Amino acid sequence: MEKFIDQCEDFPRELIRWYSSNRRNLPWRDTNDPYKIWLSEIILQQTRVAQGMDYYNKFVSKYPKVNDLAAATEEEVLKDWQGLGYYSRARNLHHSAKMIVEEHSGEFPDEYNSIIKLKGVGEYTAAAIASFAFNQDYAVLDGNVFRLLSRFFGIKTPIDSTQGKKEFSKLAQSLVPKDDAATYNQAIMEFGALQCTPVNPDCSSCPLQSKCFAYEHDIIKDLPLKEKKVKVQDRFLNYLIIQSSDQLLLNKRTQEGIWKNLFDFPLIESSSSLKYLELEKNKDFISIFKETDFSLEAESDERKHLLSHRRLYCKFYHFKVDEFSTDLLSKYRAVPVSELPQYPVPKLIENYLGEETNLLSLFK
DNA sequence: CAACCGTGGAT
DNA sequence: TATCCAAGGTT
């Protein structure tokens, strides 16, 4: 790190100075409660402040203490998390709340090495909690910090490589001012979020401009470097909404993977977009309706739903049956339409159910 | 350790 | 419309 010494000199102080006059007032900055800081950090993982704000307020008000969260059911917590995505965060949050109650007597762990043992808490989040709540000297290394360090010091090691993690981590830690990690960590992240943004950073007003390597060499837009890029796969989902009188069948997604422990409908996945006449020949379709008279009531257009790593093409089919077979009831849960809103569902399902015209056939 | 895990805003 | 990617973590 010797080659950076000249640049390092005023770096932390400059950031803290900038922070003192440019910081946003965010609710999780008004507290030293490690529980609330933890909540905010989990919510904000890979999530913008604007998107997470309402969820943070809801969780703090509904679950003011860690015991309240631990006392809830996972299903309730998932329902509260609905729409925020990355649902393992909610499952881990709930799991860790119970850990804290059972293994720490409800007292939030106050040391980095204990904090990082919580499920869903990795190096970044442990450093954030340890520094914000307990002012311990751990450097946070998130996307903002990677970007700022990469540009300011001109580091071209890919930030998503093992080497990059080591290199940036060492540099980040060397920059943390002793006894002021809390303020400094907030400052460097806020600077990345507001000033040194991924696209169109405001270099013209940047207090670090004169010492910024990337600005000097006009490579701001090239840094930070990443080596991996996600390939997006297409998936084709055919949802069967099967109704008997005022009830329909829900599927709890208990398997590992996307939307685990959320609910959706009986699902037939296909390798391409299917017409109904093709769907009808599908082995799983036949298996679902064997020995059951059914009638197709309605069919949606194909709807596209985008995930970070998938393009989903979804169709919904409404069916009516006289009664659910015991076979169906062993695989699915019969739920009165009126009770649908209490089940946690993926955004895709929430969107569909939210369009009332899609529900008309359920009441015919 | 590469792949997986959501959603929404910006460009 | 397509792509990027945001206060990452787990397997």
Side-chain angles (χ1 to χ4, degrees):
Chain A
M1 295 303 139
E2 288 72 22
K3 59 177 176 174
F4 297 139
I5 283 184
D6 177 53
Q7 274 174 291
C8 289
E9 213 152 330
D10 298 325
F11 183 82
R13 228 177 324 149
E14 201 56 54
L15 286 176
I16 290 174
R17 193 197 57 73
W18 176 92
Y19 181 64
S20 68
S21 52
N22 292 282
R23 58 173 290 189
R24 291 167 290 182
N25 284 318
L26 301 172
W28 44 88
R29 288 184 174 155
D30 297 335
T31 178
N32 290 319
D33 183 349
Y35 165 67
K36 292 181 182 171
I37 290 170
W38 171 56
L39 259 183
S40 73
E41 289 303 331
I42 301 299
I43 287 172
L44 291 173
Q45 286 171 3
Q46 297 289 285
T47 303
R48 296 170 199 282
V49 165
Q51 195 187 352
M53 183 71 77
D54 290 345
Y55 288 86
Y56 174 80
N57 289 328
K58 173 166 59 178
F59 271 81
V60 163
S61 116
K62 182 168 176 182
Y63 308 112
K65 300 191 70 180
V66 68
N67 308 63
D68 304 314
L69 185 56
T73 63
E74 184 191 89
E75 189 172 312
E76 183 75 14
V77 175
L78 282 171
K79 184 65 195 180
D80 292 328
W81 199 271
Q82 180 177 310
L84 196 52
Y86 285 152
Y87 296 94
S88 66
R89 292 183 293 173
R91 296 190 301 269
N92 290 334
L93 190 74
H94 181 241
H95 183 271
S96 293
K98 293 204 287 188
M99 276 176 65
I100 292 169
V101 168
E102 288 162 16
E103 299 171 24
H104 299 273
S105 311
E107 198 74 19
F108 203 96
D110 62 358
E111 216 282 319
Y112 178 92
N113 292 315
S114 310
I115 296 170
I116 201 170
K117 289 193 173 72
L118 299 172
K119 263 196 166 182
V121 174
E123 288 180 17
Y124 160 75
T125 304
I129 299 171
S131 63
F132 299 168
F134 305 110
N135 207 28
Q136 293 180 4
D137 289 333
Y138 289 91
V140 290
L141 184 52
D142 71 338
N144 292 308
V145 179
F146 271 119
R147 185 171 59 255
L148 176 54
L149 297 184
S150 165
R151 287 173 176 168
F152 185 76
F153 293 102
I155 303 171
K156 294 168 183 170
T157 315
I159 61 174
D160 56 352
S161 65
T162 305
Q163 176 59 27
K165 272 191 166 183
K166 277 171 61 179
E167 205 172 318
F168 281 93
S169 177
K170 186 175 175 188
L171 173 59
Q173 192 60 44
S174 75
L175 293 167
V176 179
K178 291 297 168 221
D179 305 319
D180 206 6
T183 309
Y184 169 76
N185 278 339
Q186 302 255 15
I188 191 170
M189 286 197 296
E190 189 78 336
F191 191 88
L194 299 182
Q195 187 82 37
C196 195
T197 51
V199 181
N200 299 326
D202 189 3
C203 297
S204 63
S205 73
C206 179
L208 299 177
Q209 187 205 91
S210 66
K211 289 190 174 181
C212 178
F213 182 96
Y215 182 81
E216 186 188 346
H217 295 85
D218 195 24
I219 52 171
I220 289 280
K221 66 179 188 319
D222 302 320
L223 293 178
L225 242 52
K226 290 188 184 179
E227 57 184 11
K228 309 176 180 74
K229 46 184 105 177
V230 284
K231 44 190 174 201
V232 179
Q233 292 178 29
D234 290 337
R235 290 281 177 86
F236 301 88
L237 308 183
N238 307 276
Y239 275 117
L240 313 184
I241 303 179
I242 307 172
Q243 179 185 7
S244 172
S245 70
D246 70 329
Q247 295 191 316
L248 46 81
L249 296 178
L250 284 189
N251 168 51
K252 183 169 182 178
R253 303 178 56 91
T254 55
Q255 68 277 24
E256 290 300 319
I258 191 167
W259 301 321
K260 184 185 174 187
N261 289 356
L262 276 69
F263 291 80
D264 58 4
F265 301 108
L267 169 63
I268 291 168
E269 187 165 353
S270 48
S271 54
S272 64
S273 192
L274 291 189
K275 307 259 183 213
Y276 178 69
L277 288 179
E278 300 167 312
L279 178 66
E280 227 178 10
K281 297 172 192 159
N282 180 283
K283 190 190 306 178
D284 297 325
F285 183 94
I286 293 170
S287 153
I288 283 176
F289 284 120
K290 70 182 172 203
E291 295 169 16
T292 302
D293 284 330
F294 65 92
S295 63
L296 176 63
E297 301 285 325
E299 170 182 348
S300 77
D301 292 332
E302 185 170 75
R303 305 157 68 90
K304 186 155 74 161
H305 186 81
L306 298 176
L307 308 178
S308 54
H309 57 306
R310 298 278 184 270
R311 262 187 308 264
L312 304 180
Y313 296 92
C314 312
K315 289 200 71 171
F316 292 86
Y317 295 91
H318 290 199
F319 299 94
K320 281 190 177 173
V321 299
D322 287 336
E323 62 181 14
F324 301 128
S325 67
T326 54
D327 189 45
L328 278 178
L329 290 174
S330 72
K331 292 176 183 156
Y332 303 109
R333 190 186 302 198
V335 171
V337 172
S338 63
E339 292 176 15
L340 276 182
Q342 57 190 268
Y343 288 87
V345 298
K347 193 68 180 175
L348 165 67
I349 304 292
E350 179 190 346
N351 289 345
Y352 187 76
L353 293 177
E355 296 169 21
E356 294 199 12
T357 53
N358 295 329
L359 284 177
L360 289 183
S361 71
L362 296 176
F363 297 100
K364 273 195 283 195

